[in-house]
Amino acid sequence: VRDASNRQAGYQGTPEPNQWVGGPALSPAAGSIVLRDASGRVIDSVNYGLLVDPWAAQGGCAAPALQVAGATNRSAGRFPDGADSRSNCDDFHAQAVARVAAAAAVGAENVKVSDVSGFQAGQRIFIDSEPTVIAAVGTPGATILAADTAAGTAVIPIAASFRFRDGQAIVIGAGKNEEKATVAAVTRGRAPTVTVSSPLQFAHTAGEPLTGTGLTLTAALAYAHTLGAPVASQLATPGAPNQSN
């Protein structure tokens, strides 16, 4: 849903759509859409987020809203493709979406992500456009140590505390001095720290990673993926059969 003359927003790929639907732009929080044929007959309708238009609320409920903090490239669709039980909330689903939280190299079998909500073992996902399958779902988040930390220490200064929670499994360091730990407490603010439940076995230097356990994959990555790359359970496929969910 966009202005065909605007080449700075919306889908710009190939193949080009054979029809443009004009604005106004849809709200990501709530709205309704009605699809009609050339004679004006209703083909399909959906409310999302709220019951904005009760007439378009199949089953008296709404499809999920897409306004999720930090989520982009997220869409909702009928799942399975074409499902129509006459209930928006039963038929429509939104795919799981996250971001790569620490750069992943070619050959990596684990990817650190910003969020693990909605992901599950055995699920096919895409990192950028690379397809892969999840072997195990761990915990989210990634940051770096803000200062050198000695062995035997339990309080670790970090650059950012976002996504870390009490009781969470984490990984500290890399290579020979990599170690696993459990978060006992998180201090937020200008000088955030993570307190682990058992003292560190190794010394770590400022700049080393401290991450969640991420998503473990069934096969090694064929491509490198940078910080911030999208991770999703499905990709939108304009110009092809619906695979947006």
Side-chain angles (χ1 to χ4, degrees):
V1 179
R2 48 153 281 190
D3 181 351
S5 64
N6 181 359
R7 296 293 176 176
Q8 305 301 316
Y11 172 65
Q12 301 292 337
T14 55
E16 288 193 9
N18 58 13
Q19 182 179 2
W20 290 108
V21 181
L26 295 173
S27 165
S32 64
I33 305 170
V34 177
L35 178 66
R36 302 176 186 272
D37 65 13
S39 67
R41 292 177 298 184
V42 174
I43 304 298
D44 201 359
S45 61
V46 61
N47 271 296
Y48 63 93
L50 298 169
L51 297 185
V52 177
D53 181 357
W55 182 85
Q58 293 183 358
C61 55
L66 302 181
Q67 192 172 45
V68 178
T72 58
N73 297 319
R74 193 169 188 257
S75 61
R78 294 187 181 276
F79 184 79
D81 185 16
D84 189 359
S85 67
R86 307 296 298 171
S87 170
N88 283 167
C89 31
D90 290 338
D91 294 340
F92 281 85
H93 301 271
Q95 82 273 39
V97 172
R99 292 280 176 181
V100 172
V106 173
E109 295 183 352
N110 179 276
V111 178
K112 310 305 181 187
V113 292
S114 60
D115 193 6
V116 296
S117 302
F119 294 106
Q120 56 189 332
Q123 184 178 42
R124 186 170 184 255
I125 62 170
F126 295 85
I127 304 174
D128 278 328
S129 59
E130 180 178 358
T132 186
V133 176
I134 297 173
V137 177
T139 57
T143 188
I144 58 174
L145 272 63
D148 293 350
T149 307
T153 298
V155 180
I156 308 169
I158 55 175
S161 61
F162 182 64
R163 292 292 183 188
F164 295 106
R165 298 291 184 269
D166 296 1
Q168 176 180 341
I170 58 173
V171 180
I172 306 160
K176 293 182 179 180
N177 70 338
E178 178 181 294
E179 57 184 302
K180 296 181 180 179
T182 301
V183 176
V186 181
T187 300
R188 309 188 190 279
R190 293 186 177 181
T193 63
V194 163
T195 300
V196 291
S197 58
S198 298
L200 295 175
Q201 300 178 44
F202 305 106
H204 298 278
T205 59
E208 285 191 48
L210 185 150
T211 70
T213 54
L215 300 177
T216 300
L217 311 175
T218 59
L221 292 173
Y223 303 95
H225 298 282
T226 58
L227 173 68
V231 180
S233 58
Q234 283 290 351
L235 297 179
T237 53
N242 176 29
Q243 296 178 20
S244 62
N245 187 274

